[in-house]
PDB file of all heavy atoms in Angstrom:
ATOM      1  N   LEU A 743     106.850 104.854  65.853  1.00 94.00           N
ATOM      2  CA  LEU A 743     107.388 105.341  67.120  1.00 94.00           C
ATOM      3  C   LEU A 743     107.660 104.113  67.993  1.00 94.00           C
ATOM      4  O   LEU A 743     106.754 103.603  68.663  1.00 94.00           O
ATOM      5  CB  LEU A 743     106.383 106.286  67.795  1.00 94.00           C
ATOM      6  CG  LEU A 743     106.020 107.535  66.983  1.00 94.00           C
ATOM      7  CD1 LEU A 743     104.835 108.244  67.605  1.00 94.00           C
ATOM      8  CD2 LEU A 743     107.225 108.470  66.885  1.00 94.00           C
ATOM      9  N   PRO A 744     108.890 103.572  67.942  1.00 94.00           N
ATOM     10  CA  PRO A 744     109.179 102.281  68.573  1.00 94.00           C
ATOM     11  C   PRO A 744     108.743 102.219  70.034  1.00 94.00           C
ATOM     12  O   PRO A 744     109.109 103.063  70.847  1.00 94.00           O
ATOM     13  CB  PRO A 744     110.707 102.163  68.444  1.00 94.00           C
ATOM     14  CG  PRO A 744     111.059 103.038  67.294  1.00 94.00           C
ATOM     15  CD  PRO A 744     110.086 104.173  67.317  1.00 94.00           C
ATOM     16  N   GLY A 745     107.960 101.201  70.351  1.00 94.00           N
ATOM     17  CA  GLY A 745     107.493 100.985  71.714  1.00 94.00           C
ATOM     18  C   GLY A 745     106.267 101.788  72.073  1.00 94.00           C
ATOM     19  O   GLY A 745     105.651 101.538  73.123  1.00 94.00           O
ATOM     20  N   LEU A 746     105.884 102.751  71.249  1.00 93.00           N
ATOM     21  CA  LEU A 746     104.732 103.609  71.546  1.00 93.00           C
ATOM     22  C   LEU A 746     103.559 103.339  70.612  1.00 93.00           C
ATOM     23  O   LEU A 746     102.407 103.336  71.057  1.00 93.00           O
ATOM     24  CB  LEU A 746     105.129 105.083  71.451  1.00 93.00           C
ATOM     25  CG  LEU A 746     106.220 105.559  72.416  1.00 93.00           C
ATOM     26  CD1 LEU A 746     106.550 107.021  72.155  1.00 93.00           C
ATOM     27  CD2 LEU A 746     105.776 105.365  73.855  1.00 93.00           C
ATOM     28  N   GLY A 747     103.825 103.155  69.319  1.00 93.00           N
ATOM     29  CA  GLY A 747     102.753 102.914  68.373  1.00 93.00           C
ATOM     30  C   GLY A 747     103.090 103.465  67.012  1.00 93.00           C
ATOM     31  O   GLY A 747     104.247 103.785  66.706  1.00 93.00           O
ATOM     32  N   THR A 748     102.067 103.591  66.168  1.00 93.00           N
ATOM     33  CA  THR A 748     102.244 104.117  64.823  1.00 93.00           C
ATOM     34  C   THR A 748     101.135 105.117  64.519  1.00 93.00           C
ATOM     35  O   THR A 748     100.042 105.056  65.081  1.00 93.00           O
ATOM     36  CB  THR A 748     102.217 103.001  63.755  1.00 93.00           C
ATOM     37  OG1 THR A 748     100.970 102.298  63.847  1.00 93.00           O
ATOM     38  CG2 THR A 748     103.361 102.026  63.953  1.00 93.00           C
ATOM     39  N   VAL A 749     101.439 106.029  63.615  1.00 92.00           N
ATOM     40  CA  VAL A 749     100.460 107.008  63.143  1.00 92.00           C
ATOM     41  C   VAL A 749     100.369 106.858  61.626  1.00 92.00           C
ATOM     42  O   VAL A 749     101.389 106.941  60.926  1.00 92.00           O
ATOM     43  CB  VAL A 749     100.881 108.448  63.506  1.00 92.00           C
ATOM     44  CG1 VAL A 749      99.820 109.436  63.016  1.00 92.00           C
ATOM     45  CG2 VAL A 749     101.088 108.587  65.006  1.00 92.00           C
ATOM     46  N   SER A 750      99.139 106.637  61.125  1.00 92.00           N
ATOM     47  CA  SER A 750      98.923 106.569  59.681  1.00 92.00           C
ATOM     48  C   SER A 750      98.814 107.978  59.130  1.00 92.00           C
ATOM     49  O   SER A 750      98.073 108.811  59.671  1.00 92.00           O
ATOM     50  CB  SER A 750      97.641 105.797  59.378  1.00 92.00           C
ATOM     51  OG  SER A 750      97.738 104.466  59.844  1.00 92.00           O
ATOM     52  N   LEU A 751      99.549 108.245  58.063  1.00 91.00           N
ATOM     53  CA  LEU A 751      99.601 109.584  57.485  1.00 91.00           C
ATOM     54  C   LEU A 751      99.217 109.527  56.010  1.00 91.00           C
ATOM     55  O   LEU A 751      99.205 108.449  55.395  1.00 91.00           O
ATOM     56  CB  LEU A 751     101.009 110.159  57.651  1.00 91.00           C
ATOM     57  CG  LEU A 751     101.452 110.381  59.105  1.00 91.00           C
ATOM     58  CD1 LEU A 751     102.926 110.752  59.159  1.00 91.00           C
ATOM     59  CD2 LEU A 751     100.602 111.463  59.765  1.00 91.00           C
ATOM     60  N   PRO A 752      98.900 110.676  55.409  1.00 84.00           N
ATOM     61  CA  PRO A 752      98.539 110.676  53.982  1.00 84.00           C
ATOM     62  C   PRO A 752      99.625 110.049  53.124  1.00 84.00           C
ATOM     63  O   PRO A 752     100.817 110.116  53.446  1.00 84.00           O
ATOM     64  CB  PRO A 752      98.380 112.176  53.669  1.00 84.00           C
ATOM     65  CG  PRO A 752      98.062 112.814  54.980  1.00 84.00           C
ATOM     66  CD  PRO A 752      98.801 112.020  56.013  1.00 84.00           C
ATOM     67  N   GLY A 753      99.205 109.434  52.042  1.00 81.00           N
ATOM     68  CA  GLY A 753     100.150 108.715  51.193  1.00 81.00           C
ATOM     69  C   GLY A 753     101.246 109.570  50.612  1.00 81.00           C
ATOM     70  O   GLY A 753     102.314 109.056  50.265  1.00 81.00           O
ATOM     71  N   ASP A 754     100.990 110.880  50.490  1.00 84.00           N
ATOM     72  CA  ASP A 754     102.025 111.744  49.921  1.00 84.00           C
ATOM     73  C   ASP A 754     102.971 112.302  50.968  1.00 84.00           C
ATOM     74  O   ASP A 754     103.877 113.081  50.638  1.00 84.00           O
ATOM     75  CB  ASP A 754     101.380 112.898  49.146  1.00 84.00           C
ATOM     76  CG  ASP A 754     100.476 113.760  50.044  1.00 84.00           C
ATOM     77  OD1 ASP A 754     100.100 113.273  51.129  1.00 84.00           O
ATOM     78  OD2 ASP A 754     100.152 114.888  49.639  1.00 84.00           O
ATOM     79  N   ALA A 755     102.786 111.933  52.228  1.00 89.00           N
ATOM     80  CA  ALA A 755     103.649 112.448  53.290  1.00 89.00           C
ATOM     81  C   ALA A 755     105.013 111.767  53.229  1.00 89.00           C
ATOM     82  O   ALA A 755     105.104 110.537  53.257  1.00 89.00           O
ATOM     83  CB  ALA A 755     103.015 112.222  54.656  1.00 89.00           C
ATOM     84  N   GLU A 756     106.053 112.579  53.146  1.00 91.00           N
ATOM     85  CA  GLU A 756     107.410 112.045  53.150  1.00 91.00           C
ATOM     86  C   GLU A 756     108.109 112.282  54.477  1.00 91.00           C
ATOM     87  O   GLU A 756     108.991 111.512  54.865  1.00 91.00           O
ATOM     88  CB  GLU A 756     108.226 112.688  52.022  1.00 91.00           C
ATOM     89  CG  GLU A 756     107.694 112.362  50.638  1.00 91.00           C
ATOM     90  CD  GLU A 756     108.542 112.979  49.543  1.00 91.00           C
ATOM     91  OE1 GLU A 756     109.498 113.727  49.876  1.00 91.00           O
ATOM     92  OE2 GLU A 756     108.282 112.695  48.360  1.00 91.00           O
ATOM     93  N   LEU A 757     107.742 113.371  55.154  1.00 94.00           N
ATOM     94  CA  LEU A 757     108.332 113.704  56.439  1.00 94.00           C
ATOM     95  C   LEU A 757     107.230 114.065  57.414  1.00 94.00           C
ATOM     96  O   LEU A 757     106.180 114.583  57.033  1.00 94.00           O
ATOM     97  CB  LEU A 757     109.300 114.887  56.303  1.00 94.00           C
ATOM     98  CG  LEU A 757     110.532 114.714  55.420  1.00 94.00           C
ATOM     99  CD1 LEU A 757     111.271 116.044  55.297  1.00 94.00           C
ATOM    100  CD2 LEU A 757     111.457 113.648  55.998  1.00 94.00           C
ATOM    101  N   ALA A 758     107.489 113.786  58.685  1.00 94.00           N
ATOM    102  CA  ALA A 758     106.569 114.188  59.749  1.00 94.00           C
ATOM    103  C   ALA A 758     107.381 114.847  60.848  1.00 94.00           C
ATOM    104  O   ALA A 758     108.498 114.422  61.154  1.00 94.00           O
ATOM    105  CB  ALA A 758     105.815 112.981  60.300  1.00 94.00           C
ATOM    106  N   GLU A 759     106.813 115.892  61.437  1.00 95.00           N
ATOM    107  CA  GLU A 759     107.452 116.545  62.566  1.00 95.00           C
ATOM    108  C   GLU A 759     106.691 116.167  63.828  1.00 95.00           C
ATOM    109  O   GLU A 759     105.470 116.307  63.899  1.00 95.00           O
ATOM    110  CB  GLU A 759     107.433 118.065  62.391  1.00 95.00           C
ATOM    111  CG  GLU A 759     108.177 118.799  63.506  1.00 95.00           C
ATOM    112  CD  GLU A 759     108.091 120.308  63.376  1.00 95.00           C
ATOM    113  OE1 GLU A 759     107.010 120.857  63.660  1.00 95.00           O
ATOM    114  OE2 GLU A 759     109.096 120.920  62.985  1.00 95.00           O
ATOM    115  N   VAL A 760     107.432 115.675  64.818  1.00 95.00           N
ATOM    116  CA  VAL A 760     106.844 115.199  66.071  1.00 95.00           C
ATOM    117  C   VAL A 760     107.300 116.117  67.191  1.00 95.00           C
ATOM    118  O   VAL A 760     108.496 116.435  67.297  1.00 95.00           O
ATOM    119  CB  VAL A 760     107.280 113.749  66.365  1.00 95.00           C
ATOM    120  CG1 VAL A 760     106.670 113.257  67.668  1.00 95.00           C
ATOM    121  CG2 VAL A 760     106.887 112.834  65.213  1.00 95.00           C
ATOM    122  N   GLU A 761     106.357 116.531  68.034  1.00 94.00           N
ATOM    123  CA  GLU A 761     106.693 117.408  69.157  1.00 94.00           C
ATOM    124  C   GLU A 761     105.853 117.014  70.362  1.00 94.00           C
ATOM    125  O   GLU A 761     104.625 116.878  70.256  1.00 94.00           O
ATOM    126  CB  GLU A 761     106.442 118.870  68.799  1.00 94.00           C
ATOM    127  CG  GLU A 761     106.775 119.832  69.939  1.00 94.00           C
ATOM    128  CD  GLU A 761     106.476 121.276  69.592  1.00 94.00           C
ATOM    129  OE1 GLU A 761     105.913 121.522  68.497  1.00 94.00           O
ATOM    130  OE2 GLU A 761     106.787 122.163  70.416  1.00 94.00           O
ATOM    131  N   ALA A 762     106.507 116.847  71.510  1.00 88.00           N
ATOM    132  CA  ALA A 762     105.808 116.500  72.738  1.00 88.00           C
ATOM    133  C   ALA A 762     105.400 117.751  73.487  1.00 88.00           C
ATOM    134  O   ALA A 762     106.121 118.751  73.497  1.00 88.00           O
ATOM    135  CB  ALA A 762     106.692 115.634  73.638  1.00 88.00           C
ATOM    136  N   GLY A 763     104.239 117.697  74.107  1.00 80.00           N
ATOM    137  CA  GLY A 763     103.765 118.768  74.966  1.00 80.00           C
ATOM    138  C   GLY A 763     103.329 118.213  76.298  1.00 80.00           C
ATOM    139  O   GLY A 763     103.395 117.004  76.530  1.00 80.00           O
ATOM    140  N   PRO A 764     102.860 119.055  77.205  1.00 76.00           N
ATOM    141  CA  PRO A 764     102.483 118.575  78.538  1.00 76.00           C
ATOM    142  C   PRO A 764     101.284 117.645  78.526  1.00 76.00           C
ATOM    143  O   PRO A 764     101.166 116.766  79.394  1.00 76.00           O
ATOM    144  CB  PRO A 764     102.181 119.873  79.306  1.00 76.00           C
ATOM    145  CG  PRO A 764     101.885 120.888  78.240  1.00 76.00           C
ATOM    146  CD  PRO A 764     102.723 120.525  77.071  1.00 76.00           C
ATOM    147  N   ASP A 765     100.366 117.820  77.557  1.00 79.00           N
ATOM    148  CA  ASP A 765      99.138 117.023  77.548  1.00 79.00           C
ATOM    149  C   ASP A 765      99.135 115.941  76.483  1.00 79.00           C
ATOM    150  O   ASP A 765      98.225 115.116  76.432  1.00 79.00           O
ATOM    151  CB  ASP A 765      97.925 117.938  77.330  1.00 79.00           C
ATOM    152  CG  ASP A 765      97.806 118.993  78.423  1.00 79.00           C
ATOM    153  OD1 ASP A 765      98.021 118.634  79.595  1.00 79.00           O
ATOM    154  OD2 ASP A 765      97.521 120.149  78.085  1.00 79.00           O
ATOM    155  N   GLY A 766     100.129 115.956  75.601  1.00 85.00           N
ATOM    156  CA  GLY A 766     100.167 114.979  74.532  1.00 85.00           C
ATOM    157  C   GLY A 766     101.254 115.343  73.546  1.00 85.00           C
ATOM    158  O   GLY A 766     102.211 116.037  73.877  1.00 85.00           O
ATOM    159  N   PHE A 767     101.086 114.890  72.300  1.00 91.00           N
ATOM    160  CA  PHE A 767     102.084 115.241  71.296  1.00 91.00           C
ATOM    161  C   PHE A 767     101.399 115.583  69.976  1.00 91.00           C
ATOM    162  O   PHE A 767     100.234 115.232  69.740  1.00 91.00           O
ATOM    163  CB  PHE A 767     103.119 114.127  71.116  1.00 91.00           C
ATOM    164  CG  PHE A 767     102.591 112.820  70.584  1.00 91.00           C
ATOM    165  CD1 PHE A 767     102.706 112.504  69.232  1.00 91.00           C
ATOM    166  CD2 PHE A 767     102.019 111.880  71.434  1.00 91.00           C
ATOM    167  CE1 PHE A 767     102.241 111.296  68.734  1.00 91.00           C
ATOM    168  CE2 PHE A 767     101.550 110.670  70.949  1.00 91.00           C
ATOM    169  CZ  PHE A 767     101.656 110.376  69.596  1.00 91.00           C
ATOM    170  N   THR A 768     102.155 116.270  69.162  1.00 92.00           N
ATOM    171  CA  THR A 768     101.636 116.767  67.889  1.00 92.00           C
ATOM    172  C   THR A 768     102.421 116.139  66.752  1.00 92.00           C
ATOM    173  O   THR A 768     103.649 116.018  66.829  1.00 92.00           O
ATOM    174  CB  THR A 768     101.764 118.299  67.813  1.00 92.00           C
ATOM    175  OG1 THR A 768     101.074 118.873  68.925  1.00 92.00           O
ATOM    176  CG2 THR A 768     101.182 118.828  66.519  1.00 92.00           C
ATOM    177  N   VAL A 769     101.714 115.743  65.701  1.00 92.00           N
ATOM    178  CA  VAL A 769     102.338 115.236  64.481  1.00 92.00           C
ATOM    179  C   VAL A 769     101.889 116.121  63.335  1.00 92.00           C
ATOM    180  O   VAL A 769     100.681 116.277  63.085  1.00 92.00           O
ATOM    181  CB  VAL A 769     101.950 113.771  64.210  1.00 92.00           C
ATOM    182  CG1 VAL A 769     102.574 113.288  62.900  1.00 92.00           C
ATOM    183  CG2 VAL A 769     102.375 112.876  65.365  1.00 92.00           C
ATOM    184  N   ARG A 770     102.852 116.702  62.631  1.00 93.00           N
ATOM    185  CA  ARG A 770     102.561 117.546  61.476  1.00 93.00           C
ATOM    186  C   ARG A 770     103.170 116.888  60.241  1.00 93.00           C
ATOM    187  O   ARG A 770     104.361 116.599  60.196  1.00 93.00           O
ATOM    188  CB  ARG A 770     103.146 118.949  61.661  1.00 93.00           C
ATOM    189  CG  ARG A 770     102.573 119.702  62.860  1.00 93.00           C
ATOM    190  CD  ARG A 770     103.206 121.092  62.985  1.00 93.00           C
ATOM    191  NE  ARG A 770     102.671 121.824  64.136  1.00 93.00           N
ATOM    192  CZ  ARG A 770     103.166 121.730  65.375  1.00 93.00           C
ATOM    193  NH1 ARG A 770     104.206 120.932  65.616  1.00 93.00           N
ATOM    194  NH2 ARG A 770     102.615 122.424  66.346  1.00 93.00           N
TER     195      ARG A 770
END
Side-chain angles (χ1 to χ4, degrees):
L743 300 169
L746 299 177
T748 58
V749 181
S750 298
L751 296 171
D754 60 342
E756 296 182 356
L757 297 174
E759 184 183 74
V760 180
E761 180 182 5
D765 300 318
F767 64 98
T768 303
V769 178
R770 298 180 180 87

